[in-house]
Amino acid sequence: MKTLLLSFGLLFFGLLVRAQSDNSFKLSEEASKELIQSREYQTLIKFQHDFLDIISDHVNKGVSLEFINTVILDAIKTNNYKEVYQMLFSDYESGDAFFISWGDAKRALLTKNLFIEKHMEVFTCKTCHYSLSDQANFFLKNFPFFDKNRYPGTTSLSGKEALPCGSYWNQVKLGVCATACGLSTAGIGIGLCGWGCWCAFCSQNSSTANIICAN
C-alpha cells in the first residue's frame, strides 16, 4: 500500500511542477460521457458527496469551519488523525475505513482506465496547492461553495441546462485530476486533495469556479 501511494504521489507531484510535451491526448465527448457514467466514476462522486455531507452535518450542528480546519491542520502537523476522525465520524475506525475505501475507489478508476497514467500530464493541475495543509485551508475556506454547488456527475440534462465545465471531457479531467491528487497522500488527505482542480478544468459554466478561483 505504501509503495503504491508513493508511486502515485511521485507521479502526481512530479507532473505538477513541470510541463510535459504530450498535451494533445483527448477523449471524444461520447467516450467521456461513457466514462462519467461508469460505476467507478460514479462511486467517486458518491464518496465526494458523502464527505461534503459529513462536514455539512457538523456545521449544521454548530461546529464552525474554523474549528474543523484547526483540528484537521493539527492532525496533519502531528500525523495523528485520531482526534479528527473521532470528531467527524464518532470513532477512529470508521474514519479510517472511510478514507481507505475512498482510496480504493480512486485506484479502481485508474485501473479500469489504463490510458490515464499514460497521459497523466493532461489531467494534472499546475495551479493547485502543493502541501496538504494548504489544500485543507483551500477546501474549508471554500466549503460553502463546494457544498452548495455540488458536481452532480450526471449526463442527463434538460434542454436549458448548461453542460457543467463546458464539456464532458473537461468533467473527466476534473475527476481524474482529483483522483490522482488524492492518491498522492493517505488518510484524510484523500478527501482534501484535488478541490483546486475546479480552477484548472471546470472554469466554464461553473458558479463554484467563478468564486473560488478568484480567491
Side-chain angles (χ1 to χ4, degrees), residues 2 26 65 168 178:
K2 290 182 178 179
K26 182 178 181 179
L65 288 172
Y168 291 123

Side-chain angles (χ1 to χ4, degrees), residues 139-160:
F139 171 65
L140 271 304
K141 176 184 178 181
N142 295 291
F143 173 80
F145 308 112
F146 289 127
D147 189 38
K148 182 180 179 181
N149 304 293
R150 301 186 181 196
Y151 168 58
T154 179
T155 55
S156 300
L157 303 175
S158 68
K160 294 183 179 181

Side-chain angles (χ1 to χ4, degrees), residues 48-49 52 138-153 162-166 174 194-215:
Q48 188 180 81
H49 288 188
L52 291 171
F138 179 82
F139 171 65
L140 271 304
K141 176 184 178 181
N142 295 291
F143 173 80
F145 308 112
F146 289 127
D147 189 38
K148 182 180 179 181
N149 304 293
R150 301 186 181 196
Y151 168 58
L163 188 62
C165 307
L174 171 68
W195 295 91
C197 295
W198 280 84
C199 299
F201 300 117
C202 196
S203 59
Q204 301 180 53
N205 301 337
S206 172
S207 54
T208 298
N210 291 339
I211 297 171
I212 68 171
C213 300
N215 292 339

Side-chain angles (χ1 to χ4, degrees), residues 25-114:
F25 177 80
K26 182 178 181 179
L27 289 180
S28 68
E29 281 296 276
E30 186 59 34
S32 297
K33 186 175 181 178
E34 290 179 5
L35 193 153
I36 292 168
Q37 293 171 331
S38 70
R39 177 175 59 84
E40 292 79 11
Y41 195 96
Q42 291 297 316
T43 297
L44 290 179
I45 294 172
K46 184 179 185 306
F47 269 108
Q48 188 180 81
H49 288 188
D50 286 347
F51 187 49
L52 291 171
D53 285 340
I54 289 166
I55 303 294
S56 181
D57 286 346
H58 282 74
V59 172
N60 291 336
K61 291 175 182 177
V63 182
S64 71
L65 288 172
E66 291 77 11
F67 179 76
I68 294 173
N69 198 29
T70 297
V71 176
I72 289 176
L73 292 177
D74 286 344
I76 293 171
K77 183 178 180 180
T78 61
N79 196 32
N80 185 340
Y81 296 95
K82 183 176 181 179
E83 182 179 354
V84 68
Y85 287 179
Q86 288 177 335
M87 177 183 69
L88 296 178
F89 298 89
S90 298
D91 61 80
Y92 175 85
E93 290 74 18
S94 297
D96 191 45
F98 178 82
F99 291 112
I100 288 175
S101 296
W102 195 351
D104 289 343
K106 291 192 174 196
R107 279 182 287 276
L109 178 72
L110 301 187
T111 300
K112 178 70 175 295
N113 300 280
L114 296 178

